[in-house]
């Protein structure tokens, strides 16, 4: 099994010192940078935008993972050309295949996100098209929401389906409610990418917390 990666949610950083914060994350060993984009419709808040994306892209060479929590994502994907990964929600419109194709057209690897109440069947149908399935383990746009434990059952279900289809190269991620208290359990469930924001920046900060996450994943630095 490949080692579990940590994608750090940049919205939890001090955006007024964005260059310094990204440099801290790189120095501390972050694997990816994760940017949430919310439109106030699909998710109840308005957060992240194209200007912030361009600033982050300019300031870091780390893989940049953009998570679009917006209605009709196929209309917006092109604005994030330059991202390494673009993830759209299965629930955000009727044209999931088109949104995935658009992400690939602009040179990104394509991800599909699933909310806690969404079955895996829709993304299984696109197993040959997607590079990442991101399980959102909280209701999107509600800060402080608690991790939904049933998400790990969905990880196991999807892993089995992907292996049956010969699509084991599709990565599986989890976003939402991940802290150092449950990171080891999440990694042990077979998750390839863990997204965490506030848990990385709180307390001792990225310099210690990223190493603690890596240790929880069983990584040897």
């Amino acid at each position: 099994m490949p080692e579990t990666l940590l994608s750090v949610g940049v919205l939890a950083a001090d955006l007024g010192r964005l260059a310094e914060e990204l440099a801290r994350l790189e120095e501390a060993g972050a694997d990816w940078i994760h940017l949430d984009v919310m439109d106030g419709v699909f998710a109840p808040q308005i957060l992240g935008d194209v200007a912030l994306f361009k600033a982050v892209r300019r300031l870091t060479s780390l893989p940049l993972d953009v998570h679009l929590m917006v209605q009709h994502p196929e209309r917006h994907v092109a604005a994030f050309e330059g991202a390494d990964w673009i993830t759209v929600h299965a629930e955000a419109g009727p044209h999931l295949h088109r949104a995935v194709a658009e992400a690939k057209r602009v040179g990104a690897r394509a991800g599909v996100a699933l909310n806690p109440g969404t079955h895996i069947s829709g993304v299984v149908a696109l197993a040959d098209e997607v590079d990442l399935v991101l399980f959102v383990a909280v209701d999107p746009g509600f800060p402080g929401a608690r991790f939904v434990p049933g998400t790990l059952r969905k990880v196991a279900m999807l892993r089995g389906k992907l292996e049956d289809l010969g699509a084991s190269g599709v990565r599986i991620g989890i976003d939402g409610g991940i802290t150092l208290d449950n990171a080891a359990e999440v990694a042990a469930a077979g998750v390839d990418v863990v997204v965490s924001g506030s848990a990385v920046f709180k307390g001792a900060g990225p310099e210690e917390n990223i190493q603690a996450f890596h240790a929880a994943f069983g990584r040897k630095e």
Side-chain angles (χ1 to χ4, degrees):
M1 288 283 292
E3 61 186 13
T4 302
L5 303 178
L6 179 65
S7 188
V8 180
V10 72
L11 290 182
D14 179 351
L15 298 181
R17 299 188 305 117
L18 183 60
E20 295 172 49
E21 295 282 66
L22 289 169
R24 286 178 75 195
L25 294 175
E26 290 191 26
E27 181 66 23
D31 298 300
W32 294 3
I33 301 298
H34 182 91
L35 174 62
D36 287 321
V37 178
M38 305 182 197
D39 63 358
V41 180
F42 181 78
Q45 300 184 63
I46 299 176
L47 290 172
D49 56 24
V50 175
L52 179 58
F53 159 71
K54 290 182 176 179
V56 173
R57 179 70 294 171
R58 185 176 68 252
L59 292 167
T60 185
S61 60
L62 287 175
L64 178 53
D65 161 30
V66 174
H67 178 189
L68 297 180
M69 288 179 266
V70 303
Q71 291 283 76
H72 303 294
E74 69 280 0
R75 302 175 185 174
H76 305 285
V77 165
F80 297 91
E81 183 173 358
D84 298 280
W85 300 78
I86 298 176
T87 297
V88 300
H89 268 264
E91 311 88 355
H95 303 299
L96 179 58
H97 181 269
R98 187 181 304 169
V100 166
E102 183 68 0
K104 289 180 171 289
R105 186 189 69 79
V106 300
R109 294 186 180 183
V112 173
L114 302 176
N115 283 341
T118 302
H119 196 270
I120 66 171
S121 56
V123 74
V124 168
L126 295 179
D128 292 334
E129 308 289 336
V130 302
D131 302 293
L132 169 72
V133 177
L134 183 67
F135 287 106
V136 181
V138 299
D139 290 317
F142 292 91
R146 301 185 68 176
F147 181 85
V148 177
T151 306
L152 297 183
R153 289 195 296 273
K154 292 168 70 175
V155 169
M157 290 170 58
L158 179 63
R159 182 68 72 190
K161 289 285 189 183
L162 293 174
E163 289 176 357
D164 290 345
L165 292 168
S168 57
V170 176
R171 297 194 188 196
I172 297 177
I174 288 190
D175 181 5
I178 310 294
T179 68
L180 286 170
D181 294 329
N182 60 9
E185 179 185 13
V186 168
V191 173
D192 302 299
V193 183
V194 168
V195 178
S196 187
S198 58
V200 171
F201 286 93
K202 74 176 187 180
E207 291 77 8
E208 293 187 21
N209 290 334
I210 288 176
Q211 297 308 309
F213 268 104
H214 287 174
F217 299 159
R219 287 171 56 169
K220 293 180 174 59
E221 300 299 331

